[in-house]
Amino acid sequence: IEVTLRLAAMDRVSPQVVQQVEKSLKSKLSSVINEADFRSTGGVAFLVKVLNQVDRGAQKSIFDALETTNAKLVEEIRANMFTFDDVIKLDDRAMQRVLRDINKSDLALALKGAPDRLREKVFSNVSERARENLKEEIDILGPQLAKNVYTAQRKIVDVCRSLEESGEIVIAGGGGENEVIA
């Protein structure tokens, strides 16, 4: 939590300090962050990038702990992140586009731990037959390890981000140039 707070507050740092911290972080976070990310010196944008690379369990732990010490920072970070729970914000057309690229097994596993509103959003954007098959597959899955559910949810978020980067969908809520005007 202390590291998270410091990363969010950092702006400019001497190159020697960055190199020393880089060496330490490379050894500890090598599986989470690629080498190019170490060139950034910090701030909320860098923190969002780091948090987008960790599983939901770690994100939740960090947010829960930060909430008590710096609720404003948590709000700012969440405003800049796109998480599995944000899939509900997709409009129907974007949701249908995302669903075409998602492995149905991953979708069933991801929905295993999803809120009812999100499940209903997905169910309302598939055919009746696909909806029944998906519900049946979710039921057949039985209890699942949280890490497996989070991995499936991460895959769906990655598909959403990829489609947004290619311009095929717009993830609402960002305002500015991505704001949708009807």
Side-chain angles (χ1 to χ4, degrees):
I1 300 310
E2 187 176 332
V3 171
T4 304
L5 286 169
R6 287 182 186 208
L7 278 172
M10 275 175 43
D11 189 25
R12 294 179 186 226
V13 180
S14 76
Q16 293 81 13
V17 172
V18 172
Q19 287 174 346
Q20 187 176 5
V21 171
E22 180 179 5
K23 285 180 188 175
S24 177
L25 286 176
K26 271 185 183 178
S27 66
K28 294 182 181 182
L29 297 175
S30 61
S31 64
V32 177
I33 303 172
N34 68 37
E35 195 170 308
D37 292 332
F38 286 101
R39 309 233 188 295
S40 301
T41 56
V44 173
F46 178 72
L47 187 55
V48 165
K49 202 173 197 181
V50 170
L51 289 174
N52 276 330
Q53 299 298 316
V54 299
D55 67 60
R56 280 189 55 176
Q59 284 177 2
K60 184 175 178 359
S61 297
I62 290 170
F63 285 144
D64 289 348
L66 275 178
E67 193 80 49
T68 60
T69 58
N70 196 336
K72 186 176 178 183
L73 176 60
V74 171
E75 187 177 314
E76 186 176 353
I77 293 168
R78 285 190 180 180
N80 288 292
M81 288 182 74
F82 180 78
T83 65
F84 182 72
D85 292 336
D86 293 328
V87 170
I88 199 166
K89 295 177 184 175
L90 296 174
D91 63 34
D92 287 343
R93 205 168 88 205
M95 176 67 80
Q96 291 163 11
R97 176 63 188 94
V98 168
L99 289 171
R100 282 194 303 239
D101 284 7
I102 294 173
N103 177 304
K104 300 310 175 212
S105 299
D106 287 337
L107 180 59
L109 186 56
L111 290 176
K112 190 76 177 166
D116 289 339
R117 286 184 51 217
L118 180 53
R119 282 182 179 204
E120 289 307 315
K121 175 81 171 184
V122 170
F123 292 154
S124 69
N125 280 286
V126 296
S127 69
E128 187 174 332
R129 182 175 166 203
R131 179 175 33 255
E132 294 308 315
N133 288 341
L134 187 56
K135 286 180 179 181
E136 184 178 322
E137 190 167 343
I138 291 169
D139 290 340
I140 290 172
L141 282 173
Q144 294 291 314
L145 291 173
K147 71 177 186 174
N148 295 340
V149 173
Y150 295 155
T151 298
Q153 291 175 348
R154 160 80 52 222
K155 289 178 184 177
I156 292 169
V157 168
D158 289 345
V159 167
C160 292
R161 285 191 189 123
S162 173
L163 289 171
E164 182 186 37
E165 285 175 19
S166 69
E168 292 188 54
I169 66 169
V170 173
I171 296 174
E177 64 185 43
N178 288 332
E179 185 175 358
V180 177
I181 300 172

